[in-house]
Amino acid sequence: MTTTSIECVTLDVADAIVLLLGVADIGASKRFYTGQGLTVSKNIPGTYAEFAAGEGPVKLALYKRRALAKDAGVAPEGTGSHRLTIGPSASDFTDPDGFAWETVPPSDVLY
């Protein structure tokens, strides 16, 4: 008789959230977001950049738009919204790829 031991690991989902944006120019977008105060934690030049989560649970990452579209099985031009609402710690801005980021009062944030 064989006995198998399985270790159970509990992962808080909030520890694993990465918001991955498909962008036209990784370098330009990385410069833009570092200019907004984000710190690069992982970088593959011209291909991928990830920013430190800071105090919140969400990490922002950038990936080439065409590669991300191919992985997702969608057209690289996209048809969806270019508007994001994450939380109340920054002022409104629009990034180089046209993503409009806006702040939301804490009372309007869904948890």
Side-chain angles (χ1 to χ4, degrees):
M1 179 176 187
T2 303
T3 303
T4 303
S5 175
I6 299 174
E7 182 178 336
C8 183
V9 177
T10 302
L11 175 66
D12 183 355
V13 174
D15 290 341
I17 297 173
V18 176
L19 176 59
L20 183 59
L21 297 181
V23 299
D25 183 333
I26 296 283
S29 293
K30 184 172 66 172
R31 285 187 298 277
F32 176 81
Y33 286 108
T34 56
Q36 296 293 320
L38 298 179
T39 302
V40 176
S41 60
K42 292 181 186 174
N43 184 43
I44 302 171
T47 304
Y48 179 82
E50 183 175 296
F51 300 92
E55 295 180 22
V58 179
K59 288 184 185 181
L60 175 66
L62 309 172
Y63 194 47
K64 293 291 286 185
R65 178 180 292 134
R66 289 197 174 280
L68 183 57
K70 183 178 179 182
D71 288 350
V74 298
E77 306 80 43
T79 58
S81 173
H82 271 76
R83 186 175 176 157
L84 301 170
T85 304
I86 300 297
S89 63
S91 59
D92 295 353
F93 60 87
T94 300
D95 74 11
D97 286 279
F99 287 98
W101 295 71
E102 64 180 39
T103 58
V104 175
S107 60
D108 292 346
V109 175
L110 300 175
Y111 293 97

